Amino acid sequence: GLSFGVLDGDFRYEEQGALACIYYHEIRMAFEQGARLLDGTQAPPFENDGLYQHKHRWGFEPIEDPWNPNKLLIWVPNGSSVAMGWLERMRPIKSVPSAYDY
């Protein structure tokens, strides 16, 4: 809970809008200062992941992290139908722009 400012991990504050307030103010401050990029921290690189969707609803878009370029390699042994079904449901993000493009 401390990572997004919820005192002592008490989720009553999150339920009352603490996380939304923190997001709003950091996005607004970045905009007012003319920032080209705002680090919304990492999220799993799958379009159907809950954290990715949450950040996407706030207007965040994925880009490659120049300090930690994660190159995702997904290997499906023997064409596993379970693994292929999971990939189809999760929809991996196939390409993202570099932070240097901004």
Side-chain angles (χ1 to χ4, degrees):
L2 294 176
S3 66
F4 56 77
V6 176
L7 180 62
D8 298 327
D10 188 338
F11 279 87
R12 287 181 300 156
Y13 297 107
E14 193 275 333
E15 291 167 357
Q16 294 171 357
L19 179 57
C21 179
I22 290 169
Y23 276 151
Y24 173 78
H25 285 288
E26 71 181 5
I27 293 168
R28 183 176 174 163
M29 182 184 294
F31 175 78
E32 288 171 353
Q33 293 181 8
R36 293 180 303 144
L37 296 173
L38 173 67
D39 185 352
T41 70
Q42 293 184 358
F46 300 100
E47 291 180 12
N48 282 338
D49 177 82
L51 182 57
Y52 174 86
Q53 289 181 351
H54 173 78
K55 290 179 180 201
H56 188 70
R57 283 193 296 270
W58 274 94
F60 289 101
E61 292 292 333
I63 62 169
E64 182 180 62
D65 182 345
W67 298 279
N68 184 20
N70 250 340
K71 302 296 183 192
L72 186 63
L73 173 65
I74 298 176
W75 173 59
V76 179
N78 303 319
S80 166
S81 61
V82 173
M84 292 303 292
W86 182 84
L87 285 171
E88 288 173 13
R89 283 190 312 280
M90 293 304 291
R91 296 195 333 251
I93 299 169
K94 293 180 177 71
S95 65
V96 295
S98 168
Y100 297 113
D101 294 339
Y102 290 87

